[in-house]
Amino acid sequence: MVTVVDTTKDLRPRHPEKAHRPDQPIARKPAWIRVKAPGSPVYVETQKIVRDNKLVTVCEEASCPNIGECWSKKHSTFMIMGETCTRACAFCNVATGKPNPLDADEPENVAIAVEKLGLSHVVVTSVDRDDLDDGGAEHFARTIRAIRARSPRTTIEVLTPDFLRKDGALEVVVAAKPDVFNHNLETVPGNYLKVRPGARYFHSVRLLQRVKELDPEIFTKSGIMVGLGEERDEVLQLMDDLRSADVDFITIGQYLQPTRKHHPVMGFVTPDEFKSYETVAYTKGFLMVSASPLTRSSHHAGEDFERLRAARAAKRGG
């Protein structure tokens, strides 16, 4: 039986900074947005490994609609540095507030979980930690090194914050040599004031460009959501901005409103429109494009990494 996972219940205590905002109507999802409810035996096993190692996953914290599919394949995106973010983006379901101190054991605990799950590819992300001098860069680097020590064949993808006003932070993460460096633009620049007010669009583009300058062999990746009121031409210009930064991989997915206090869905993009975005992105020179209603940054990350690596090899003639 196929059901829709309900992620729209009101979670006001989770988002005190949004409590003063007027309720936004929750649009009815179209027929093409359907996911299976979680609960398979492998899903439960993955959940137990996460719980036993006291880990946080973006799958749960961000109410990802693909959690049933991914955890049933023992795929999980680990969210380090706690579950409380220092920012309050209008689209995001991660809790906002004053974070706890970093857990010194977390890098090793993540590495243990990766080993137990037998992951060939792992994605490590985090909340924004504007309270830390380096934005958590060294904690990312320690996690990468811990995973390498226990699972040397596992490829590592990081999905980092923007390290805004954290001089030298990016260099620390790049020096740890993740295989993929992902940082999401999230939306077009015209939406930043409403959707991502704590970030700066061109800083994020420059961050991705700087990764390539520091280490051209690291794959770079960025993702956006559509359905936030953007125009098609704005999305195409964003693609050009990413290509000017030599970004290899773009993901495009449908924004789904977590609660009535979050930014409303301004429109549902059809599968045909997503296919059109994919076609255009490939013509602009991206090595990999993932564009569909349920595309998320880490969805199918392992399979996509293999395709990304093959695309680069083909481009280089071997």
Side-chain angles (χ1 to χ4, degrees), residues 137-190:
E138 179 58 33
H139 203 72
F140 262 106
R142 287 187 59 216
T143 303
I144 293 168
R145 292 192 292 267
I147 294 169
R148 292 253 190 261
R150 282 187 172 270
S151 305
R153 295 185 179 180
T154 298
T155 50
I156 302 171
E157 179 172 332
V158 293
L159 171 53
T160 76
D162 59 13
F163 300 122
L164 188 63
R165 293 182 287 274
K166 306 294 183 184
D167 292 345
L170 174 66
E171 287 77 2
V172 170
V173 179
V174 172
K177 291 192 173 296
D179 297 280
V180 182
F181 189 105
N182 186 1
H183 172 64
N184 288 334
L185 295 185
E186 306 294 7
T187 188
V188 299

Side-chain angles (χ1 to χ4, degrees), residues 122-276:
V122 63
V123 182
V124 179
T125 188
S126 79
V127 291
D128 277 290
R129 290 297 302 258
D130 296 314
D131 59 310
L132 301 175
D133 289 342
D134 69 348
E138 179 58 33
H139 203 72
F140 262 106
R142 287 187 59 216
T143 303
I144 293 168
R145 292 192 292 267
I147 294 169
R148 292 253 190 261
R150 282 187 172 270
S151 305
R153 295 185 179 180
T154 298
T155 50
I156 302 171
E157 179 172 332
V158 293
L159 171 53
T160 76
D162 59 13
F163 300 122
L164 188 63
R165 293 182 287 274
K166 306 294 183 184
D167 292 345
L170 174 66
E171 287 77 2
V172 170
V173 179
V174 172
K177 291 192 173 296
D179 297 280
V180 182
F181 189 105
N182 186 1
H183 172 64
N184 288 334
L185 295 185
E186 306 294 7
T187 188
V188 299
N191 283 346
Y192 264 52
L193 188 60
K194 294 183 297 181
V195 175
R196 200 178 178 221
R200 300 294 179 266
Y201 175 82
F202 287 105
H203 169 83
S204 287
V205 174
R206 174 59 182 149
L207 185 87
L208 290 158
Q209 183 180 41
R210 181 69 178 142
V211 173
K212 282 292 191 185
E213 292 171 355
L214 292 167
D215 189 341
E217 292 304 304
I218 294 178
F219 290 103
T220 49
K221 177 177 176 181
S222 189
I224 64 166
M225 301 166 291
V226 289
L228 284 163
E230 71 289 328
E231 299 290 337
R232 178 180 172 83
D233 286 349
E234 292 179 292
V235 175
L236 301 188
Q237 180 60 57
L238 179 146
M239 291 181 188
D240 288 336
D241 292 342
L242 288 178
R243 286 302 303 133
S244 72
D246 199 22
V247 170
D248 300 302
F249 186 177
I250 185 173
T251 62
I252 306 173
Q254 171 70 51
Y255 168 63
L256 298 175
Q257 183 181 352
T259 78
R260 291 176 176 83
K261 295 299 182 181
H262 286 78
H263 196 290
V265 175
M266 305 301 289
F268 288 101
V269 177
T270 67
D272 285 346
E273 289 175 285
F274 276 107
K275 185 64 179 177
S276 176

Side-chain angles (χ1 to χ4, degrees), residues 280-295:
V280 172
Y282 274 122
T283 66
K284 289 180 179 293
F286 288 98
L287 289 179
M288 267 289 299
V289 181
S290 180
S292 74
L294 290 174
T295 288

